[in-house]
Amino acid sequence: MTAYEPVIGLEIHVQLSTRTKMFCGCKLSFNDPPNIHTCPTCLGLPGALPVVNSRAIHFGIMIGLALGCDIAERSLFHRKNYFYPDLPKGYQISQYDVPLCRGGRLGDVRIHRVHLEEDAAKLNHLGASGRIHGSDRSWVDFNRGGTPLVEIVTEPDLRSPEQAREWPALLRTTLRQLGVSDVNMEEGSLRVDANVSVRPVGSTELGTKTELKNMNSFRFLERGVRAEISRQIALLEQGKPVMQETLHYDPATDTLTALRSKEEAHDYRYFPEPDLVPILATEEMLAAARADMPAELPAERAARYEGELGLNADTARLFAFRTELGDYFERALAAAGSDGEQRQVDPVELSNWIPQLIERIGSDSDPAGSNVAPESLATLATMVKAKEVSRDAAREVLTRLVEEGGDPRAIVEREGLGALTAEDDGLGELVDRAIAADPAAAEQVRSGNMKAIGPLVGYVMRETKGRADGGEITRLIRERLAG
Ligand code: ADP
Ligand code: MG
Ligand code: ZN
């Protein structure tokens, strides 16, 4: 049976949080009464002229820089023509063959292009069951019409449903940190379309793709992509072709239904927008965009955690994508000891305790709001590293810290959780007893089979109720069985 590899490319629409619309002075709004933020321009009335929003260009350049794109010195607006009730002009002003930004990369996904355009109006479809104004017609709310958008198009570089969930989360954190958008999927300020194909593993050609429209949460995006990959593989295994079409994913039933196929695809008859001049991205505009960028973006933060602090890639990403975790981690890293001296906390050891912490306070919670002060977590990590407390005992200390806060040293003292040592606590004697209790295992270790050491270590762990350090026990056993 052929093994298949998924190939996924994303097209992401982001509403920019400017004060006014893309080509007129109407205010941006969300959830206001319908059709109160309109004017001749965004209603497409004859004779009204667009004027480009310079703040939207500024945000577009910031996004391009954050994604490592080339910013075009000169880019163009085009008219994308189609008829639909949400588009009063009969065309959308967008960018076509000369976009604002090209190339670039975020994490392990290359960016194809980033361009500016305007959003369409919002259609409220209410069926017979959900009537408004006593009818079952559709209603158009032009408040949204003309909202500034950037469209970010990736190369087909994603390879799994999980990545189709994780990568947009990195993008969202990045955009949020730039302050250019609310990036809220439920409210529609971040909208993701996924292009999906599969191909035999090892093949370098792209398979026929389908497009999943407008997934409204990262979870559904992952599930929709997974369902579509399975559907395509099943087709190919039956010897049937994948049709190029646009699909809608229904999370309730985990099924995909066709919206439109490529044969009915629009010919948009793009042509240059005659009412707007080209965007000239000057050195001053680039400098202004750079000046508004945060000092460190999430992808850079992840790279620093991995490269400079030695964190594993998953933890580095977790802390970088969830800024509250990264911030907490850094506060703990910087924490001074109770004696006022700068304490050296091992970053890797510390990093392992933050997932442990959020596991206890709720995986979506911000540890800054918990009972555990960053200093306390740093102290705990340091005690583990120094083998003053065993890993098992430290987990118990953490549970106490989450419940009642306070100082880990005090808890260790009060609960008698300090690590047992060979000299003070008779750990050596226990090791002797373990060896005596299992001569067969001891003999194996003596003859060099280190896997046999497990039961001996386990014996001491049990006897000490986890308070002895595993590494220390192992060291003592090997010492006794050496030679
Ligand atoms: P279209 O002309 O149908 O819009 P594009 O070439 O512009 O297609 O690509 C649109 C998006 O689809 C991009 O994100 C791209 O990476 C992705 N894409 C293109 N071809 C494939 C494919 N065969 N499989 C998966 N994604 C693809
Ligand atoms: Mg496209
Ligand atoms: Zn307007």
Side-chain angles (χ1 to χ4, degrees), residues 7-11 153-156 195-197 206-209 244 262:
V7 174
I8 304 150
L10 303 175
E11 293 169 282
V153 183
T154 77
E155 296 293 346
N195 298 271
V196 180
S197 67
L206 292 172
T208 305
K209 73 175 162 81
Q244 180 162 343
K262 197 70 184 180

mmCIF file with all atom_site columns, all heavy atoms in Angstrom, residues 7-11 153-156 195-197 206-209 244 262, ligand 1:
data_model
loop_
_atom_site.group_PDB
_atom_site.id
_atom_site.type_symbol
_atom_site.label_atom_id
_atom_site.label_alt_id
_atom_site.label_comp_id
_atom_site.label_asym_id
_atom_site.label_entity_id
_atom_site.label_seq_id
_atom_site.pdbx_PDB_ins_code
_atom_site.Cartn_x
_atom_site.Cartn_y
_atom_site.Cartn_z
_atom_site.occupancy
_atom_site.B_iso_or_equiv
_atom_site.pdbx_formal_charge
_atom_site.auth_seq_id
_atom_site.auth_comp_id
_atom_site.auth_asym_id
_atom_site.auth_atom_id
_atom_site.pdbx_PDB_model_num
ATOM   1   N N   . VAL A 1 7   ? 0.115   17.703 1.996   1.00 0.00 ? 7   VAL A N   1
ATOM   2   C CA  . VAL A 1 7   ? 0.742   18.981 1.647   1.00 0.00 ? 7   VAL A CA  1
ATOM   3   C C   . VAL A 1 7   ? -0.306  20.066 1.842   1.00 0.00 ? 7   VAL A C   1
ATOM   4   O O   . VAL A 1 7   ? -1.408  19.962 1.312   1.00 0.00 ? 7   VAL A O   1
ATOM   5   C CB  . VAL A 1 7   ? 1.228   18.975 0.181   1.00 0.00 ? 7   VAL A CB  1
ATOM   6   C CG1 . VAL A 1 7   ? 1.752   20.344 -0.217  1.00 0.00 ? 7   VAL A CG1 1
ATOM   7   C CG2 . VAL A 1 7   ? 2.285   17.900 -0.029  1.00 0.00 ? 7   VAL A CG2 1
ATOM   8   N N   . ILE A 1 8   ? 0.042   21.061 2.633   1.00 0.00 ? 8   ILE A N   1
ATOM   9   C CA  . ILE A 1 8   ? -0.948  22.070 3.000   1.00 0.00 ? 8   ILE A CA  1
ATOM   10  C C   . ILE A 1 8   ? -0.357  23.466 2.819   1.00 0.00 ? 8   ILE A C   1
ATOM   11  O O   . ILE A 1 8   ? 0.787   23.719 3.199   1.00 0.00 ? 8   ILE A O   1
ATOM   12  C CB  . ILE A 1 8   ? -1.382  21.891 4.481   1.00 0.00 ? 8   ILE A CB  1
ATOM   13  C CG1 . ILE A 1 8   ? -1.902  20.468 4.715   1.00 0.00 ? 8   ILE A CG1 1
ATOM   14  C CG2 . ILE A 1 8   ? -2.432  22.928 4.879   1.00 0.00 ? 8   ILE A CG2 1
ATOM   15  C CD1 . ILE A 1 8   ? -1.678  19.959 6.113   1.00 0.00 ? 8   ILE A CD1 1
ATOM   16  N N   . GLY A 1 9   ? -1.117  24.334 2.206   1.00 0.00 ? 9   GLY A N   1
ATOM   17  C CA  . GLY A 1 9   ? -0.757  25.758 2.120   1.00 0.00 ? 9   GLY A CA  1
ATOM   18  C C   . GLY A 1 9   ? -1.923  26.578 2.655   1.00 0.00 ? 9   GLY A C   1
ATOM   19  O O   . GLY A 1 9   ? -3.085  26.203 2.471   1.00 0.00 ? 9   GLY A O   1
ATOM   20  N N   . LEU A 1 10  ? -1.621  27.671 3.322   1.00 0.00 ? 10  LEU A N   1
ATOM   21  C CA  . LEU A 1 10  ? -2.686  28.456 3.950   1.00 0.00 ? 10  LEU A CA  1
ATOM   22  C C   . LEU A 1 10  ? -2.825  29.831 3.317   1.00 0.00 ? 10  LEU A C   1
ATOM   23  O O   . LEU A 1 10  ? -1.838  30.440 2.880   1.00 0.00 ? 10  LEU A O   1
ATOM   24  C CB  . LEU A 1 10  ? -2.404  28.616 5.453   1.00 0.00 ? 10  LEU A CB  1
ATOM   25  C CG  . LEU A 1 10  ? -2.246  27.327 6.255   1.00 0.00 ? 10  LEU A CG  1
ATOM   26  C CD1 . LEU A 1 10  ? -1.855  27.642 7.697   1.00 0.00 ? 10  LEU A CD1 1
ATOM   27  C CD2 . LEU A 1 10  ? -3.538  26.505 6.220   1.00 0.00 ? 10  LEU A CD2 1
ATOM   28  N N   . GLU A 1 11  ? -4.057  30.296 3.260   1.00 0.00 ? 11  GLU A N   1
ATOM   29  C CA  . GLU A 1 11  ? -4.341  31.682 2.876   1.00 0.00 ? 11  GLU A CA  1
ATOM   30  C C   . GLU A 1 11  ? -5.072  32.306 4.058   1.00 0.00 ? 11  GLU A C   1
ATOM   31  O O   . GLU A 1 11  ? -6.127  31.818 4.462   1.00 0.00 ? 11  GLU A O   1
ATOM   32  C CB  . GLU A 1 11  ? -5.210  31.715 1.622   1.00 0.00 ? 11  GLU A CB  1
ATOM   33  C CG  . GLU A 1 11  ? -4.470  31.197 0.405   1.00 0.00 ? 11  GLU A CG  1
ATOM   34  C CD  . GLU A 1 11  ? -5.403  30.965 -0.780  1.00 0.00 ? 11  GLU A CD  1
ATOM   35  O OE1 . GLU A 1 11  ? -6.099  29.943 -0.787  1.00 0.00 ? 11  GLU A OE1 1
ATOM   36  O OE2 . GLU A 1 11  ? -5.423  31.825 -1.670  1.00 0.00 ? 11  GLU A OE2 1
ATOM   37  N N   . VAL A 1 153 ? -0.326  34.650 2.189   1.00 0.00 ? 153 VAL A N   1
ATOM   38  C CA  . VAL A 1 153 ? -0.368  33.370 1.465   1.00 0.00 ? 153 VAL A CA  1
ATOM   39  C C   . VAL A 1 153 ? 0.938   32.631 1.720   1.00 0.00 ? 153 VAL A C   1
ATOM   40  O O   . VAL A 1 153 ? 2.023   33.168 1.482   1.00 0.00 ? 153 VAL A O   1
ATOM   41  C CB  . VAL A 1 153 ? -0.550  33.600 -0.054  1.00 0.00 ? 153 VAL A CB  1
ATOM   42  C CG1 . VAL A 1 153 ? -0.656  32.249 -0.783  1.00 0.00 ? 153 VAL A CG1 1
ATOM   43  C CG2 . VAL A 1 153 ? -1.775  34.466 -0.329  1.00 0.00 ? 153 VAL A CG2 1
ATOM   44  N N   . THR A 1 154 ? 0.829   31.401 2.235   1.00 0.00 ? 154 THR A N   1
ATOM   45  C CA  . THR A 1 154 ? 2.048   30.622 2.484   1.00 0.00 ? 154 THR A CA  1
ATOM   46  C C   . THR A 1 154 ? 2.396   29.781 1.262   1.00 0.00 ? 154 THR A C   1
ATOM   47  O O   . THR A 1 154 ? 1.556   29.540 0.400   1.00 0.00 ? 154 THR A O   1
ATOM   48  C CB  . THR A 1 154 ? 1.893   29.655 3.679   1.00 0.00 ? 154 THR A CB  1
ATOM   49  O OG1 . THR A 1 154 ? 1.130   28.511 3.266   1.00 0.00 ? 154 THR A OG1 1
ATOM   50  C CG2 . THR A 1 154 ? 1.236   30.321 4.871   1.00 0.00 ? 154 THR A CG2 1
ATOM   51  N N   . GLU A 1 155 ? 3.617   29.308 1.212   1.00 0.00 ? 155 GLU A N   1
ATOM   52  C CA  . GLU A 1 155 ? 3.968   28.251 0.271   1.00 0.00 ? 155 GLU A CA  1
ATOM   53  C C   . GLU A 1 155 ? 3.366   26.947 0.815   1.00 0.00 ? 155 GLU A C   1
ATOM   54  O O   . GLU A 1 155 ? 3.053   26.855 2.013   1.00 0.00 ? 155 GLU A O   1
ATOM   55  C CB  . GLU A 1 155 ? 5.499   28.124 0.159   1.00 0.00 ? 155 GLU A CB  1
ATOM   56  C CG  . GLU A 1 155 ? 6.197   29.350 -0.412  1.00 0.00 ? 155 GLU A CG  1
ATOM   57  C CD  . GLU A 1 155 ? 5.851   29.604 -1.880  1.00 0.00 ? 155 GLU A CD  1
ATOM   58  O OE1 . GLU A 1 155 ? 5.286   28.714 -2.544  1.00 0.00 ? 155 GLU A OE1 1
ATOM   59  O OE2 . GLU A 1 155 ? 6.146   30.716 -2.362  1.00 0.00 ? 155 GLU A OE2 1
ATOM   60  N N   . PRO A 1 156 ? 3.202   25.925 -0.028  1.00 0.00 ? 156 PRO A N   1
ATOM   61  C CA  . PRO A 1 156 ? 2.620   24.663 0.460   1.00 0.00 ? 156 PRO A CA  1
ATOM   62  C C   . PRO A 1 156 ? 3.625   23.867 1.293   1.00 0.00 ? 156 PRO A C   1
ATOM   63  O O   . PRO A 1 156 ? 4.055   22.794 0.913   1.00 0.00 ? 156 PRO A O   1
ATOM   64  C CB  . PRO A 1 156 ? 2.233   23.922 -0.829  1.00 0.00 ? 156 PRO A CB  1
ATOM   65  C CG  . PRO A 1 156 ? 3.106   24.488 -1.876  1.00 0.00 ? 156 PRO A CG  1
ATOM   66  C CD  . PRO A 1 156 ? 3.443   25.894 -1.485  1.00 0.00 ? 156 PRO A CD  1
ATOM   67  N N   . ASN A 1 195 ? -5.505  24.977 1.927   1.00 0.00 ? 195 ASN A N   1
ATOM   68  C CA  . ASN A 1 195 ? -5.403  24.228 0.675   1.00 0.00 ? 195 ASN A CA  1
ATOM   69  C C   . ASN A 1 195 ? -4.728  22.905 0.989   1.00 0.00 ? 195 ASN A C   1
ATOM   70  O O   . ASN A 1 195 ? -3.654  22.887 1.587   1.00 0.00 ? 195 ASN A O   1
ATOM   71  C CB  . ASN A 1 195 ? -4.567  25.001 -0.338  1.00 0.00 ? 195 ASN A CB  1
ATOM   72  C CG  . ASN A 1 195 ? -5.208  26.334 -0.686  1.00 0.00 ? 195 ASN A CG  1
ATOM   73  O OD1 . ASN A 1 195 ? -6.013  26.421 -1.597  1.00 0.00 ? 195 ASN A OD1 1
ATOM   74  N ND2 . ASN A 1 195 ? -4.884  27.369 0.079   1.00 0.00 ? 195 ASN A ND2 1
ATOM   75  N N   . VAL A 1 196 ? -5.386  21.825 0.588   1.00 0.00 ? 196 VAL A N   1
ATOM   76  C CA  . VAL A 1 196 ? -4.920  20.501 1.016   1.00 0.00 ? 196 VAL A CA  1
ATOM   77  C C   . VAL A 1 196 ? -4.747  19.581 -0.188  1.00 0.00 ? 196 VAL A C   1
ATOM   78  O O   . VAL A 1 196 ? -5.611  19.523 -1.056  1.00 0.00 ? 196 VAL A O   1
ATOM   79  C CB  . VAL A 1 196 ? -5.952  19.857 1.981   1.00 0.00 ? 196 VAL A CB  1
ATOM   80  C CG1 . VAL A 1 196 ? -5.476  18.481 2.428   1.00 0.00 ? 196 VAL A CG1 1
ATOM   81  C CG2 . VAL A 1 196 ? -6.210  20.758 3.178   1.00 0.00 ? 196 VAL A CG2 1
ATOM   82  N N   . SER A 1 197 ? -3.633  18.892 -0.239  1.00 0.00 ? 197 SER A N   1
ATOM   83  C CA  . SER A 1 197 ? -3.465  17.810 -1.204  1.00 0.00 ? 197 SER A CA  1
ATOM   84  C C   . SER A 1 197 ? -2.658  16.705 -0.544  1.00 0.00 ? 197 SER A C   1
ATOM   85  O O   . SER A 1 197 ? -2.115  16.893 0.546   1.00 0.00 ? 197 SER A O   1
ATOM   86  C CB  . SER A 1 197 ? -2.760  18.303 -2.473  1.00 0.00 ? 197 SER A CB  1
ATOM   87  O OG  . SER A 1 197 ? -1.425  18.669 -2.186  1.00 0.00 ? 197 SER A OG  1
ATOM   88  N N   . LEU A 1 206 ? 3.242   18.114 -6.801  1.00 0.00 ? 206 LEU A N   1
ATOM   89  C CA  . LEU A 1 206 ? 2.088   18.395 -5.960  1.00 0.00 ? 206 LEU A CA  1
ATOM   90  C C   . LEU A 1 206 ? 0.866   17.665 -6.491  1.00 0.00 ? 206 LEU A C   1
ATOM   91  O O   . LEU A 1 206 ? 0.665   17.572 -7.702  1.00 0.00 ? 206 LEU A O   1
ATOM   92  C CB  . LEU A 1 206 ? 1.811   19.906 -5.948  1.00 0.00 ? 206 LEU A CB  1
ATOM   93  C CG  . LEU A 1 206 ? 2.857   20.780 -5.252  1.00 0.00 ? 206 LEU A CG  1
ATOM   94  C CD1 . LEU A 1 206 ? 2.567   22.247 -5.486  1.00 0.00 ? 206 LEU A CD1 1
ATOM   95  C CD2 . LEU A 1 206 ? 2.893   20.467 -3.761  1.00 0.00 ? 206 LEU A CD2 1
ATOM   96  N N   . GLY A 1 207 ? 0.056   17.143 -5.582  1.00 0.00 ? 207 GLY A N   1
ATOM   97  C CA  . GLY A 1 207 ? -1.213  16.537 -5.977  1.00 0.00 ? 207 GLY A CA  1
ATOM   98  C C   . GLY A 1 207 ? -2.270  17.617 -6.206  1.00 0.00 ? 207 GLY A C   1
ATOM   99  O O   . GLY A 1 207 ? -2.038  18.792 -5.946  1.00 0.00 ? 207 GLY A O   1
ATOM   100 N N   . THR A 1 208 ? -3.442  17.183 -6.694  1.00 0.00 ? 208 THR A N   1
ATOM   101 C CA  . THR A 1 208 ? -4.547  18.134 -6.870  1.00 0.00 ? 208 THR A CA  1
ATOM   102 C C   . THR A 1 208 ? -5.047  18.573 -5.504  1.00 0.00 ? 208 THR A C   1
ATOM   103 O O   . THR A 1 208 ? -5.248  17.751 -4.617  1.00 0.00 ? 208 THR A O   1
ATOM   104 C CB  . THR A 1 208 ? -5.707  17.461 -7.634  1.00 0.00 ? 208 THR A CB  1
ATOM   105 O OG1 . THR A 1 208 ? -5.186  16.954 -8.853  1.00 0.00 ? 208 THR A OG1 1
ATOM   106 C CG2 . THR A 1 208 ? -6.825  18.445 -7.905  1.00 0.00 ? 208 THR A CG2 1
ATOM   107 N N   . LYS A 1 209 ? -5.258  19.876 -5.361  1.00 0.00 ? 209 LYS A N   1
ATOM   108 C CA  . LYS A 1 209 ? -5.637  20.382 -4.044  1.00 0.00 ? 209 LYS A CA  1
ATOM   109 C C   . LYS A 1 209 ? -7.118  20.736 -3.973  1.00 0.00 ? 209 LYS A C   1
ATOM   110 O O   . LYS A 1 209 ? -7.750  21.020 -4.984  1.00 0.00 ? 209 LYS A O   1
ATOM   111 C CB  . LYS A 1 209 ? -4.824  21.631 -3.711  1.00 0.00 ? 209 LYS A CB  1
ATOM   112 C CG  . LYS A 1 209 ? -5.205  22.883 -4.483  1.00 0.00 ? 209 LYS A CG  1
ATOM   113 C CD  . LYS A 1 209 ? -4.406  24.075 -3.984  1.00 0.00 ? 209 LYS A CD  1
ATOM   114 C CE  . LYS A 1 209 ? -4.395  25.238 -4.952  1.00 0.00 ? 209 LYS A CE  1
ATOM   115 N NZ  . LYS A 1 209 ? -5.589  26.069 -4.896  1.00 0.00 ? 209 LYS A NZ  1
ATOM   116 N N   . GLN A 1 244 ? -10.515 19.152 -7.997  1.00 0.00 ? 244 GLN A N   1
ATOM   117 C CA  . GLN A 1 244 ? -10.185 20.467 -7.457  1.00 0.00 ? 244 GLN A CA  1
ATOM   118 C C   . GLN A 1 244 ? -11.474 21.210 -7.148  1.00 0.00 ? 244 GLN A C   1
ATOM   119 O O   . GLN A 1 244 ? -12.256 21.518 -8.042  1.00 0.00 ? 244 GLN A O   1
ATOM   120 C CB  . GLN A 1 244 ? -9.354  21.241 -8.475  1.00 0.00 ? 244 GLN A CB  1
ATOM   121 C CG  . GLN A 1 244 ? -8.987  22.625 -7.965  1.00 0.00 ? 244 GLN A CG  1
ATOM   122 C CD  . GLN A 1 244 ? -7.832  23.229 -8.725  1.00 0.00 ? 244 GLN A CD  1
ATOM   123 O OE1 . GLN A 1 244 ? -7.094  22.539 -9.416  1.00 0.00 ? 244 GLN A OE1 1
ATOM   124 N NE2 . GLN A 1 244 ? -7.690  24.538 -8.592  1.00 0.00 ? 244 GLN A NE2 1
ATOM   125 N N   . LYS A 1 262 ? -13.935 23.941 -9.600  1.00 0.00 ? 262 LYS A N   1
ATOM   126 C CA  . LYS A 1 262 ? -13.090 24.864 -10.346 1.00 0.00 ? 262 LYS A CA  1
ATOM   127 C C   . LYS A 1 262 ? -13.733 25.279 -11.679 1.00 0.00 ? 262 LYS A C   1
ATOM   128 O O   . LYS A 1 262 ? -13.520 26.391 -12.145 1.00 0.00 ? 262 LYS A O   1
ATOM   129 C CB  . LYS A 1 262 ? -11.722 24.205 -10.590 1.00 0.00 ? 262 LYS A CB  1
ATOM   130 C CG  . LYS A 1 262 ? -10.619 25.177 -10.980 1.00 0.00 ? 262 LYS A CG  1
ATOM   131 C CD  . LYS A 1 262 ? -10.212 26.070 -9.819  1.00 0.00 ? 262 LYS A CD  1
ATOM   132 C CE  . LYS A 1 262 ? -9.166  27.096 -10.253 1.00 0.00 ? 262 LYS A CE  1
ATOM   133 N NZ  . LYS A 1 262 ? -8.767  27.965 -9.137  1.00 0.00 ? 262 LYS A NZ  1
HETATM 134 P P1  . ADP B 2 .   ? -4.896  29.270 -6.619  1.00 0.00 ? 1   ADP B P1  1
HETATM 135 O O1  . ADP B 2 .   ? -4.437  29.835 -7.906  1.00 0.00 ? 1   ADP B O1  1
HETATM 136 O O2  . ADP B 2 .   ? -5.842  28.091 -6.754  1.00 0.00 ? 1   ADP B O2  1
HETATM 137 O O3  . ADP B 2 .   ? -5.347  30.283 -5.643  1.00 0.00 ? 1   ADP B O3  1
HETATM 138 P P2  . ADP B 2 .   ? -2.255  29.281 -5.616  1.00 0.00 ? 1   ADP B P2  1
HETATM 139 O O4  . ADP B 2 .   ? -1.156  28.688 -6.398  1.00 0.00 ? 1   ADP B O4  1
HETATM 140 O O5  . ADP B 2 .   ? -2.431  30.766 -5.608  1.00 0.00 ? 1   ADP B O5  1
HETATM 141 O O6  . ADP B 2 .   ? -3.601  28.570 -6.000  1.00 0.00 ? 1   ADP B O6  1
HETATM 142 O O7  . ADP B 2 .   ? -2.067  28.822 -4.117  1.00 0.00 ? 1   ADP B O7  1
HETATM 143 C C1  . ADP B 2 .   ? -2.971  29.161 -3.147  1.00 0.00 ? 1   ADP B C1  1
HETATM 144 C C2  . ADP B 2 .   ? -2.565  28.469 -1.852  1.00 0.00 ? 1   ADP B C2  1
HETATM 145 O O8  . ADP B 2 .   ? -2.617  27.061 -2.038  1.00 0.00 ? 1   ADP B O8  1
HETATM 146 C C3  . ADP B 2 .   ? -1.154  28.749 -1.400  1.00 0.00 ? 1   ADP B C3  1
HETATM 147 O O9  . ADP B 2 .   ? -1.167  28.829 0.020   1.00 0.00 ? 1   ADP B O9  1
HETATM 148 C C4  . ADP B 2 .   ? -0.366  27.538 -1.836  1.00 0.00 ? 1   ADP B C4  1
HETATM 149 O O10 . ADP B 2 .   ? 0.708   27.292 -0.969  1.00 0.00 ? 1   ADP B O10 1
HETATM 150 C C5  . ADP B 2 .   ? -1.389  26.445 -1.723  1.00 0.00 ? 1   ADP B C5  1
HETATM 151 N N1  . ADP B 2 .   ? -1.200  25.353 -2.682  1.00 0.00 ? 1   ADP B N1  1
HETATM 152 C C6  . ADP B 2 .   ? -0.967  25.443 -3.995  1.00 0.00 ? 1   ADP B C6  1
HETATM 153 N N2  . ADP B 2 .   ? -0.900  24.227 -4.554  1.00 0.00 ? 1   ADP B N2  1
HETATM 154 C C7  . ADP B 2 .   ? -1.097  23.324 -3.556  1.00 0.00 ? 1   ADP B C7  1
HETATM 155 C C8  . ADP B 2 .   ? -1.166  21.897 -3.493  1.00 0.00 ? 1   ADP B C8  1
HETATM 156 N N3  . ADP B 2 .   ? -1.041  21.146 -4.567  1.00 0.00 ? 1   ADP B N3  1
HETATM 157 N N4  . ADP B 2 .   ? -1.395  21.346 -2.284  1.00 0.00 ? 1   ADP B N4  1
HETATM 158 C C9  . ADP B 2 .   ? -1.564  22.080 -1.186  1.00 0.00 ? 1   ADP B C9  1
HETATM 159 N N5  . ADP B 2 .   ? -1.520  23.420 -1.179  1.00 0.00 ? 1   ADP B N5  1
HETATM 160 C C10 . ADP B 2 .   ? -1.297  24.043 -2.354  1.00 0.00 ? 1   ADP B C10 1
#
